[in-house]
Amino acid sequence: MTAVHAFGRSPARHCKSCGAAVEWRVPDDGDTRQRAVCSTCDTIHYDNPLNVVGTIPVWDNKVLLCLRNIEPRFGKWTLPAGFMELGETLAEGAARETQEEAGAHIEMGSLFSVLSVMRVGQVHFFYHARLLKLDFDPGHETQKVQLFAEHEIPWDELAFRTVRETLIRHFADQASGQHGFHTIDIN
Amino acid sequence: MTAVHAFGRSPARHCKSCGAAVEWRVPDDGDTRQRAVCSTCDTIHYDNPLNVVGTIPVWDNKVLLCLRNIEPRFGKWTLPAGFMELGETLAEGAARETQEEAGAHIEMGSLFSVLSVMRVGQVHFFYHARLLKLDFDPGHETQKVQLFAEHEIPWDELAFRTVRETLIRHFADQASGQHGFHTIDIN
């Protein structure tokens, strides 16, 4: 159970199918990991990494960041991003989050960075995006949005390490004229 | 609720924290989607896409495929792949699945394909991998493994469309001398 607690998830105590208490054990089906198993109806509960999808919205040489209005990291700056939902592709999720958090009008580009964040059981994805106009309507998760050139980025006030790593590579690629794709592991 | 059923998941009927029956409704926290919400203890249950991670194990111009010994697609051929687990990166998950399903000794390469499979709420990832020896020890999920050149691939007997799309692009890149990275949406 300790391994499951470690990712900030609240572990299952009851079966989602029948409500009986679950046991934490390795299922009898050839699995090798402890899962929450229902002794009453045999339902096995799996807990897997979550995808966070977002964009790097660009206008000229500036990047749009959102000042967070929610926890975690209230009052810190982030690229628009959030949990991927059922019923959408990675790119559709990234576009939706950009709309919800920044109310920005964008043209989606290619996938730029994929970051495994093992400690929290997440994978983050950031897509290139081009702002079509300077007209924003941030949702309730965002206090305000602002455009930043590289030297203006509030590096010490960024909400997430994945945002930092993505911005570093974005500006490096911009400076060198490369159009890279980056896979990054964060512990 | 229909939208949730549509991804082949069994929807939550009981709260994982307290076991009470859940209600399907939009939570009061600014969310816009129906979730399983516990009226007794207020736990909100989220159901999100799952990541499937695997490799394209190569020896000379041949690719290793596994003949499936489990459902779904028992008796069909697949690249070694399976669900990403908590506590691992994408690449570590892909290497683990290759070990578990093929017992193959590989050197991991870069990420080759990322495929959003919207209908089943999954994202599939395939990494380049180089076989280090022709010595395999497939696990219980695999009947046997076999190496295939492009003209030998059992195209009509492949287990998953993501495997097909990945193999098509792998051989195309091999033929053209390119070393591409591919994002693909599958409905």
Coordinates of all heavy atoms in Angstrom, one line a residue, chain B residues 120-152:
Chain B
V120 N -11.5 4.1 -27.2 CA -11.3 3.2 -26.0 C -10.6 4.0 -24.8 O -10.3 3.4 -23.8 CB -10.4 2.0 -26.3 CG1 -11.2 1.0 -27.2 CG2 -9.1 2.3 -26.9
G121 N -10.4 5.3 -25.0 CA -9.8 6.1 -24.0 C -8.4 5.7 -23.6 O -8.0 5.5 -22.5
Q122 N -7.6 5.5 -24.7 CA -6.2 5.2 -24.5 C -5.2 6.0 -25.3 O -5.6 6.6 -26.3 CB -6.0 3.7 -24.8 CG -6.7 2.7 -24.0 CD -6.5 1.2 -24.4 OE1 -5.8 1.0 -25.4 NE2 -7.1 0.3 -23.6
V123 N -4.0 6.1 -24.8 CA -2.9 6.6 -25.7 C -1.8 5.6 -25.7 O -1.4 5.1 -24.7 CB -2.4 8.0 -25.1 CG1 -1.3 8.6 -26.0 CG2 -3.5 9.0 -24.8
H124 N -1.4 5.2 -26.9 CA -0.3 4.2 -27.1 C 1.0 4.9 -27.5 O 1.0 5.8 -28.3 CB -0.8 3.2 -28.2 CG -1.9 2.4 -27.8 ND1 -2.1 1.1 -28.3 CD2 -2.9 2.6 -26.9 CE1 -3.2 0.6 -27.8 NE2 -3.8 1.5 -27.0
F125 N 2.1 4.3 -26.9 CA 3.4 4.9 -27.2 C 4.3 3.7 -27.6 O 4.4 2.7 -26.9 CB 4.0 5.5 -25.9 CG 3.2 6.6 -25.3 CD1 2.0 6.2 -24.5 CD2 3.5 7.9 -25.4 CE1 1.3 7.2 -23.9 CE2 2.7 8.9 -24.9 CZ 1.6 8.6 -24.1
F126 N 5.0 3.9 -28.7 CA 6.0 2.8 -29.1 C 7.4 3.4 -29.2 O 7.6 4.5 -29.9 CB 5.6 2.1 -30.4 CG 4.4 1.3 -30.2 CD1 3.1 1.8 -30.5 CD2 4.5 0.0 -29.7 CE1 2.0 1.0 -30.3 CE2 3.4 -0.8 -29.5 CZ 2.1 -0.3 -29.8
Y127 N 8.4 2.8 -28.6 CA 9.8 3.2 -28.6 C 10.6 2.4 -29.6 O 10.3 1.2 -29.7 CB 10.4 3.1 -27.2 CG 10.0 4.2 -26.3 CD1 8.8 4.2 -25.6 CD2 10.9 5.3 -26.0 CE1 8.4 5.2 -24.8 CE2 10.5 6.3 -25.2 CZ 9.3 6.3 -24.5 OH 8.9 7.3 -23.7
H128 N 11.6 3.0 -30.2 CA 12.6 2.2 -30.9 C 13.3 1.3 -29.9 O 13.6 1.7 -28.7 CB 13.7 3.1 -31.5 CG 13.2 3.9 -32.7 ND1 12.9 3.4 -33.9 CD2 13.0 5.2 -32.8 CE1 12.5 4.3 -34.7 NE2 12.6 5.5 -34.1
A129 N 13.7 0.1 -30.3 CA 14.5 -0.8 -29.4 C 15.3 -1.7 -30.3 O 14.9 -2.1 -31.4 CB 13.6 -1.6 -28.5
R130 N 16.5 -1.9 -29.8 CA 17.5 -2.8 -30.6 C 17.6 -4.1 -29.8 O 18.0 -4.1 -28.6 CB 18.8 -2.1 -30.7 CG 19.7 -2.7 -31.7 CD 20.9 -1.7 -32.0 NE 21.8 -1.6 -30.8 CZ 22.7 -2.4 -30.5 NH1 23.0 -3.5 -31.2 NH2 23.5 -2.2 -29.4
L131 N 17.4 -5.2 -30.5 CA 17.6 -6.5 -29.8 C 19.1 -6.8 -29.7 O 19.8 -6.6 -30.6 CB 16.9 -7.6 -30.7 CG 15.4 -7.7 -30.6 CD1 14.8 -8.6 -31.7 CD2 14.9 -8.2 -29.2
L132 N 19.5 -7.2 -28.5 CA 20.9 -7.4 -28.2 C 21.3 -8.9 -28.4 O 22.5 -9.2 -28.7 CB 21.2 -7.0 -26.8 CG 20.9 -5.5 -26.5 CD1 21.1 -5.3 -25.0 CD2 21.9 -4.6 -27.3
K133 N 20.3 -9.8 -28.3 CA 20.6 -11.2 -28.7 C 19.3 -11.9 -29.1 O 18.2 -11.4 -28.7 CB 21.3 -11.9 -27.6 CG 20.8 -11.8 -26.2 CD 21.7 -12.5 -25.2 CE 21.3 -12.2 -23.8 NZ 22.0 -13.0 -22.8
L134 N 19.4 -13.0 -29.8 CA 18.2 -13.7 -30.3 C 17.9 -14.8 -29.3 O 17.9 -16.0 -29.6 CB 18.5 -14.3 -31.6 CG 18.7 -13.2 -32.7 CD1 18.9 -13.9 -34.1 CD2 17.5 -12.3 -32.8
D135 N 17.5 -14.4 -28.1 CA 17.3 -15.3 -27.0 C 16.1 -14.7 -26.2 O 16.2 -13.7 -25.6 CB 18.6 -15.1 -26.1 CG 18.6 -16.1 -25.0 OD1 17.7 -17.0 -24.9 OD2 19.6 -16.0 -24.1
F136 N 15.0 -15.4 -26.3 CA 13.7 -14.9 -25.8 C 13.1 -15.8 -24.8 O 13.4 -17.0 -24.8 CB 12.7 -14.8 -27.0 CG 13.3 -14.0 -28.1 CD1 13.6 -14.6 -29.3 CD2 13.5 -12.6 -28.0 CE1 14.1 -13.9 -30.4 CE2 14.1 -11.9 -29.0 CZ 14.4 -12.5 -30.2
D137 N 12.3 -15.3 -23.9 CA 11.7 -16.0 -22.9 C 10.3 -15.4 -22.6 O 10.1 -14.7 -21.6 CB 12.6 -16.0 -21.6 CG 11.9 -16.8 -20.5 OD1 11.1 -17.7 -20.7 OD2 12.3 -16.5 -19.3
P138 N 9.4 -15.7 -23.5 CA 8.1 -15.0 -23.4 C 7.3 -15.4 -22.1 O 7.4 -16.5 -21.7 CB 7.3 -15.5 -24.7 CG 8.2 -16.4 -25.4 CD 9.5 -16.5 -24.7
G139 N 6.6 -14.4 -21.6 CA 5.8 -14.7 -20.4 C 4.4 -15.3 -20.7 O 4.2 -15.7 -21.9
H140 N 3.6 -15.4 -19.7 CA 2.3 -16.1 -19.9 C 1.3 -15.4 -20.9 O 0.4 -16.1 -21.3 CB 1.6 -16.3 -18.5 CG 1.0 -15.1 -18.0 ND1 1.7 -14.0 -17.5 CD2 -0.3 -14.7 -18.0 CE1 0.9 -13.0 -17.1 NE2 -0.3 -13.4 -17.5
E141 N 1.6 -14.2 -21.2 CA 0.7 -13.4 -22.0 C 1.0 -13.7 -23.5 O 0.2 -13.3 -24.4 CB 0.8 -11.9 -21.8 CG 0.3 -11.5 -20.4 CD 0.4 -10.0 -20.1 OE1 0.5 -9.3 -21.1 OE2 0.4 -9.6 -19.0
T142 N 2.1 -14.4 -23.8 CA 2.6 -14.6 -25.2 C 2.7 -16.1 -25.5 O 3.4 -16.8 -24.7 CB 3.9 -13.9 -25.3 OG1 3.8 -12.5 -24.9 CG2 4.4 -14.0 -26.7
Q143 N 2.1 -16.6 -26.6 CA 2.3 -18.0 -27.0 C 3.7 -18.2 -27.6 O 4.4 -19.2 -27.2 CB 1.3 -18.3 -28.1 CG -0.1 -18.3 -27.7 CD -1.1 -18.7 -28.8 OE1 -0.8 -19.6 -29.6 NE2 -2.2 -17.9 -28.9
K144 N 4.2 -17.2 -28.4 CA 5.5 -17.3 -29.0 C 5.9 -16.0 -29.5 O 5.1 -15.1 -29.7 CB 5.6 -18.4 -30.0 CG 4.8 -18.1 -31.3 CD 5.1 -19.2 -32.4 CE 4.2 -18.9 -33.6 NZ 4.5 -19.8 -34.7
V145 N 7.2 -15.8 -29.8 CA 7.7 -14.6 -30.4 C 8.3 -15.0 -31.8 O 8.8 -16.1 -31.9 CB 8.7 -13.8 -29.6 CG1 8.1 -13.4 -28.2 CG2 10.0 -14.5 -29.4
Q146 N 8.4 -14.0 -32.7 CA 9.0 -14.3 -34.0 C 9.4 -13.1 -34.6 O 8.8 -12.0 -34.4 CB 7.9 -15.0 -34.9 CG 8.5 -15.7 -36.2 CD 7.4 -16.5 -36.9 OE1 6.6 -17.2 -36.2 NE2 7.3 -16.4 -38.2
L147 N 10.5 -13.1 -35.4 CA 11.0 -12.0 -36.1 C 10.4 -12.0 -37.6 O 10.4 -13.0 -38.2 CB 12.6 -12.0 -36.2 CG 13.3 -11.8 -34.9 CD1 14.8 -12.2 -35.0 CD2 13.1 -10.4 -34.4
F148 N 10.0 -10.8 -38.0 CA 9.4 -10.6 -39.3 C 10.1 -9.5 -40.1 O 10.2 -8.4 -39.6 CB 8.0 -10.2 -39.2 CG 7.1 -11.3 -38.5 CD1 6.9 -11.3 -37.2 CD2 6.5 -12.3 -39.3 CE1 6.1 -12.3 -36.6 CE2 5.6 -13.2 -38.7 CZ 5.5 -13.2 -37.4
A149 N 10.5 -9.8 -41.3 CA 10.9 -8.7 -42.3 C 9.6 -8.1 -42.8 O 8.5 -8.6 -42.6 CB 11.7 -9.3 -43.4
E150 N 9.7 -6.9 -43.4 CA 8.4 -6.2 -43.8 C 7.5 -7.1 -44.6 O 6.3 -7.1 -44.4 CB 8.8 -4.9 -44.7 CG 7.6 -4.1 -45.0 CD 7.9 -2.8 -45.8 OE1 9.1 -2.7 -46.1 OE2 7.0 -2.0 -46.0
H151 N 8.0 -7.8 -45.6 CA 7.2 -8.6 -46.5 C 6.6 -9.9 -45.8 O 5.7 -10.5 -46.3 CB 7.9 -9.0 -47.8 CG 9.0 -10.1 -47.5 ND1 10.3 -9.7 -47.1 CD2 9.0 -11.4 -47.6 CE1 11.0 -10.8 -47.0 NE2 10.3 -11.8 -47.3
E152 N 7.1 -10.1 -44.6 CA 6.6 -11.3 -43.8 C 5.6 -10.9 -42.8 O 5.0 -11.8 -42.1 CB 7.8 -12.0 -43.1 CG 8.9 -12.5 -44.0 CD 10.2 -12.9 -43.3 OE1 10.4 -12.3 -42.2 OE2 10.9 -13.7 -43.8

